Amino acid sequence: MKHNHERRKFIQQSISAGIAIGATTFIPEVLKGHEIQTTPFTQTPLSYGFNALEPHIDALTMEIHYTKHAAAYTKNLNDAAIAEFKGANISIEDALKNISLYSAKLRNNGGGHFNHEFFWKSMMPNAPQLQEGKLKDAIISTFNSLENFKAKLSDAAMTRFGSGWAWLYIDDKKLLQIGSTPNQDNPLMDVSSIKGIPLLGLDVWEHAYYLKYQNRRAEYVNNWFNLINWKQVEERMTNSR
Ligand code: MN
């Protein structure tokens, strides 16, 4: 197994580097003339049903959002990655951190893939309130109160003109920050005006809420706070330190 793995790695590296492997190469016939796809990004199955976030997010919105919108980002990311990664095994996080090196297609769909995977895990059915602990302490010491935190994140979501995301993230000084990004950008990207490690992200594209809320983004944002998986957010904070 290890031998095969090493051999595959050698083939990939050799192809990437453009090195001839010898007169009688051992590249399998089917791979000749093709780049090897080492980074097939996939959607993680949702850990809850499409209807599990009712009444705050309706089942049809969840189904279309996950199976159509998010699925398209993942598919298009794979297409872009095959063309641009040249067979190198690059994680989505590393690609986003150096996104200025890649095409707009990779930026939009890599961001779209990462943000949606992140978004699904940021929510849960019957979410408990934020419990006492490190995250609550950090939120209160940074934003003075939970209410103030909520007001500030809501403001970021409401003032994002057009499509984008509102974020709670941790900056390079390890401070909690709130901000927003346009389109499918996020704070990991080197091109982003806000930079850091995302802890919580809110999708404010109309496709995330229009069927139920139409133009009422504020109502969607307000109800979304009932869905936050605080334990997941706290884990992200712990892992970022
Ligand atoms: Mn979305």
Side-chain angles (χ1 to χ4, degrees):
M1 285 294 280
K2 187 165 191 301
H3 175 75
N4 282 340
H5 175 75
E6 289 303 317
R7 178 174 143 124
R8 199 160 58 238
K9 207 166 143 194
F10 174 67
I11 295 170
Q12 287 163 3
Q13 286 168 345
S14 302
I15 290 173
S16 303
I19 299 166
I21 310 178
T24 50
T25 129
F26 47 76
I27 298 174
E29 193 63 36
V30 290
L31 295 179
K32 283 181 185 168
H34 295 272
E35 268 152 3
I36 298 172
Q37 184 184 345
T38 56
T39 51
F41 298 102
T42 54
Q43 283 186 285
T44 310
L46 281 184
S47 63
Y48 44 79
F50 293 134
N51 65 353
L53 305 182
E54 297 257 15
H56 310 300
I57 300 179
D58 61 286
L60 185 58
T61 294
M62 281 300 295
E63 182 173 354
I64 295 172
H65 200 176
Y66 181 88
T67 67
K68 306 292 184 197
H69 293 281
Y73 293 123
T74 304
K75 184 202 173 293
N76 292 329
L77 165 62
N78 280 317
D79 292 348
I82 290 168
E84 298 180 46
F85 290 178
K86 312 287 184 199
N89 193 4
I90 298 171
S91 71
I92 187 63
E93 288 83 0
D94 284 342
L96 296 176
K97 283 173 192 167
N98 300 294
I99 203 69
S100 60
L101 301 175
Y102 300 104
S103 68
K105 181 176 178 177
L106 204 110
R107 174 174 172 175
N108 291 333
N109 293 288
H113 171 75
F114 177 92
N115 293 348
H116 286 85
E117 288 289 300
F118 191 85
F119 185 55
W120 313 133
K121 295 186 182 95
S122 299
M123 302 184 288
M124 64 180 291
N126 309 310
Q129 300 287 309
L130 174 58
Q131 305 295 306
E132 298 300 327
K134 282 182 195 166
L135 176 62
K136 192 173 183 180
D137 290 349
I139 285 177
I140 289 173
S141 74
T142 309
F143 305 107
N144 298 318
S145 70
L146 204 51
E147 281 313 299
N148 230 24
F149 158 78
K150 189 176 162 182
K152 207 166 174 209
L153 190 58
S154 299
D155 187 61
M158 291 307 297
T159 55
R160 169 47 55 194
F161 184 77
S163 298
W165 290 75
W167 302 97
L168 171 70
Y169 63 101
I170 195 154
D171 70 12
D172 59 0
K173 297 185 182 68
K174 303 296 176 194
L175 297 173
L176 292 186
Q177 300 284 356
I178 284 172
S180 75
T181 53
N183 306 314
Q184 294 296 352
D185 287 358
N186 67 45
L188 289 175
M189 292 181 173
D190 61 357
V191 295
S192 178
S193 61
I194 59 168
K195 284 193 192 66
I197 297 169
L199 303 183
L200 179 63
L202 169 55
D203 189 344
V204 293
W205 283 58
E206 283 188 346
H207 69 223
Y209 63 88
Y210 200 85
L211 291 180
K212 181 180 171 77
Y213 296 98
Q214 293 87 46
N215 61 320
R216 305 186 308 278
R217 187 190 283 190
E219 197 180 322
Y220 158 68
V221 169
N222 190 53
N223 288 346
W224 176 79
F225 280 93
N226 295 308
L227 298 172
I228 297 173
N229 183 343
W230 291 111
K231 199 160 171 262
Q232 177 70 47
V233 179
E234 186 157 80
E235 267 174 43
R236 289 167 177 162
M237 186 177 80
T238 304
N239 293 338
S240 75
R241 285 168 189 271

